[in-house]
Amino acid sequence: MIRVNEHYSKLKASYLFADIAKRVAAWSQANPEKKLIRMGIGDVTEPLPPACIAAFHAGVDELARRETFKGYGPEQGYAFLREAIAQGDFQSRGAKVDPDEIFVSDSSKCDVGNIQEIFANDIRVAIPDPVYPVYVDSNVMAGRTGASENDRYAGLVYLESTHANGYVPALPTAPVDLIYLCFPNNPTGATATHAQLKVWVDYARANKALIVFDAAYVAYLRDPQLPQSIYEIAGARECAIEFRSFSKTAGFTGVRCAFIVVPKDLKVWDAAGREQSVHALWNRRHSTKFNGVSYPVQKAAAAVYTPDGQTQVRALTDFYLGNAKLVRAEFARRGLACVGGENSPYIWVEVKRDSWEFFDTLLNQAGVVCTPGAGFGRCGQGYVRFSAFNSRANVEEALGRIATLL
Ligand SMILES: Cc1ncc(COP(=O)(O)O)c(C=O)c1O
């Protein structure tokens, strides 16, 4: 008899964005003549940078000619992209990352969901609250938790990110083995300083723990004092894996390209206490279950690191940050505290009431969609997340409607 993975039954009934989609669909059906403005989900709206488009086209043309045709590529990614990433994102900032420590994939969502597979099932996992839901759900599916009660899974250690700690969680009081961190943060938009990340790196090294560092929004950092990579922190090569994506950097949400950095210094221990290489384990997993990102997509991603690509990516992210500034200013004018939006495309607004109630009011009375903070965890109650990914005209119209409503 084929049997189900029982751990799936512990997952909360619906994924946050499915829940939102249901309410939005009901509103749209009831208000067919009204225009809906989506400022909830973090999907980009602007076209790809021209340098990426040109490289994408050139990559497709190569596939059209026998002399330049390519079949399967290396599972880990083509050398031209891995070298461009290592130099452009890390070595240029003084962080030691070698091209063969980079694994190119089609998605950060898959990478952050899959990474837990190479670790034991009885490890203790620390996850921020509020959080990008994939970190939690992938560990629930793997059976590392008990049931969920009051928005908390038994067995997980929750790292509370609140106004009081500036949305950068403190070290856990109980020992943990796998730690998820995300800066600039989704959903809060908060950032972490060198000193704050060093606390986590020192903890992980002292406790033989491993940090999963999700830097999906690194392209939005503008404060030159802030670290862009966890490898700018001494010792991080021994305790951290970094995740990056071209989705929000270069508008690749529909194109799909991402990568993770697995330093060769990173160790994991077996039941007998013997060291094993995380790099070797991930390489085994990646090359068994993944067959590489399409060649034209990798060409398009590599174009991000050309001088034109860098200028265009900066302009693209500046544009969204311009939207974020308008959103922040509007809520500040209404006396609602905000975090994020300065080094991040997300603005986390303290709405001082139930976050689903605020979501429903905004949807029903203004036709504007935000994301209720409670959907990201217990600490998100009383907050909503606004995304800056939209056209300027839509952002201005949405803010006008919000001003009228509030
Ligand atoms: C924190 C975080 N990590 C990862 C991802 C997934 O990125 P990708 O589009 O590469 O799957 C997202 C997407 O919204 C995200 O917010």
Side-chain angles (χ1 to χ4, degrees):
M1 177 172 61
I2 177 74
R3 292 193 44 232
V4 69
N5 174 350
E6 306 280 354
H7 301 302
Y8 276 61
S9 66
K10 297 176 198 158
L11 292 167
K12 283 196 263 149
S14 70
Y15 183 67
L16 168 65
F17 292 105
D19 228 6
I20 293 172
K22 224 183 309 168
R23 295 184 197 214
V24 168
W27 181 88
S28 298
Q29 206 170 13
N31 300 277
E33 75 297 346
K34 292 195 186 146
K35 177 185 166 191
L36 181 81
I37 305 181
R38 294 177 191 272
M39 297 187 72
I41 196 161
D43 194 4
V44 296
T45 55
E46 303 307 300
L48 294 178
C52 297
I53 284 293
F56 210 163
H57 280 297
V60 171
D61 287 343
E62 285 185 58
L63 299 185
R65 291 190 302 273
R66 181 171 301 279
E67 315 79 65
T68 47
F69 172 78
K70 293 189 173 47
Y72 289 125
E75 291 101 342
Q76 298 83 353
Y78 282 99
F80 66 79
L81 178 56
R82 298 169 91 195
E83 283 161 12
I85 291 169
Q87 167 57 28
D89 283 341
F90 301 101
Q91 294 165 4
S92 62
R93 296 189 55 82
K96 178 180 159 37
V97 168
D98 293 327
D100 65 354
E101 296 177 318
I102 289 161
F103 293 82
V104 177
S105 80
D106 61 354
S107 161
S108 232
K109 188 186 215 176
C110 298
D111 288 338
V112 291
N114 291 335
I115 194 72
Q116 48 74 32
E117 261 189 43
I118 60 170
F119 305 118
N121 253 38
D122 57 356
I123 55 169
R124 296 155 298 188
V125 182
I127 297 192
D129 176 1
V131 74
Y132 177 58
V134 178
Y135 312 155
V136 176
D137 287 0
S138 53
N139 278 288
V140 173
M141 290 169 174
R144 287 198 188 86
T145 73
S148 163
E149 207 174 307
N150 293 330
D151 281 339
R152 292 270 163 107
Y153 284 97
L156 286 185
V157 173
Y158 286 89
L159 305 171
E160 300 200 338
S161 310
T162 63
H163 183 83
N165 60 24
Y167 305 94
V168 179
L171 293 176
T173 47
V176 296
D177 308 303
L178 182 62
I179 301 155
Y180 289 79
L181 295 177
C182 172
F183 293 106
N185 189 260
N186 177 14
T188 66
T191 51
T193 62
H194 279 89
Q196 286 168 320
L197 288 185
K198 184 170 184 310
V199 167
W200 282 100
V201 167
D202 290 348
Y203 173 90
R205 289 173 75 199
N207 292 278
K208 293 186 170 174
L210 188 140
I211 298 171
V212 164
F213 188 75
D214 188 343
Y217 298 95
V218 64
Y220 293 83
L221 283 171
R222 289 295 179 271
D223 182 342
Q225 301 298 323
L226 293 169
Q228 299 208 353
S229 164
I230 195 151
Y231 304 118
E232 291 173 39
I233 316 300
R237 283 183 55 86
E238 292 162 32
C239 66
I241 300 179
E242 184 161 313
F243 294 69
R244 294 212 184 178
S245 168
F246 292 95
S247 285
K248 312 301 162 74
T249 298
F252 273 44
T253 56
V255 177
R256 314 306 300 139
C257 196
F259 62 90
I260 78 172
V261 182
V262 188
K264 290 191 174 153
D265 305 4
L266 210 51
K267 301 282 181 274
V268 62
W269 286 267
D270 67 17
R274 286 178 302 237
E275 279 182 4
Q276 292 200 30
S277 155
V278 177
H279 184 277
L281 279 168
W282 185 254
N283 191 44
R284 185 73 172 88
R285 192 258 171 225
H286 190 79
S287 49
T288 299
K289 296 193 176 184
F290 189 67
N291 240 351
V293 173
S294 101
Y295 175 72
V297 167
Q298 292 193 57
K299 291 294 275 186
V304 163
Y305 299 96
T306 62
D308 281 353
Q310 288 287 290
T311 307
Q312 291 159 11
V313 159
R314 181 76 176 196
L316 185 63
T317 48
D318 274 348
F319 168 76
Y320 291 125
L321 284 169
N323 286 347
K325 195 170 177 186
L326 294 176
V327 176
R328 257 191 91 111
E330 183 57 41
F331 286 107
R333 229 189 325 271
R334 312 272 143 218
L336 296 178
C338 295
V339 59
E342 284 166 335
N343 293 285
S344 147
Y346 296 124
I347 305 99
W348 189 239
V349 186
E350 195 170 350
V351 290
K352 299 196 171 100
R353 55 173 146 151
D354 179 85
S355 54
W356 277 106
E357 182 201 312
F358 185 90
F359 168 89
D360 284 331
T361 306
L362 202 62
L363 174 63
N364 294 325
Q365 296 183 30
V368 175
V369 183
C370 62
T371 310
F376 296 106
R378 196 191 281 173
C379 292
Q381 183 52 272
Y383 292 82
V384 297
R385 186 193 76 176
F386 279 88
S387 148
F389 296 119
N390 220 317
S391 67
R392 185 61 47 85
N394 273 353
V395 170
E396 285 170 350
E397 187 177 344
L399 293 179
R401 293 189 202 175
I402 291 169
T404 309
L405 176 70
L406 294 179

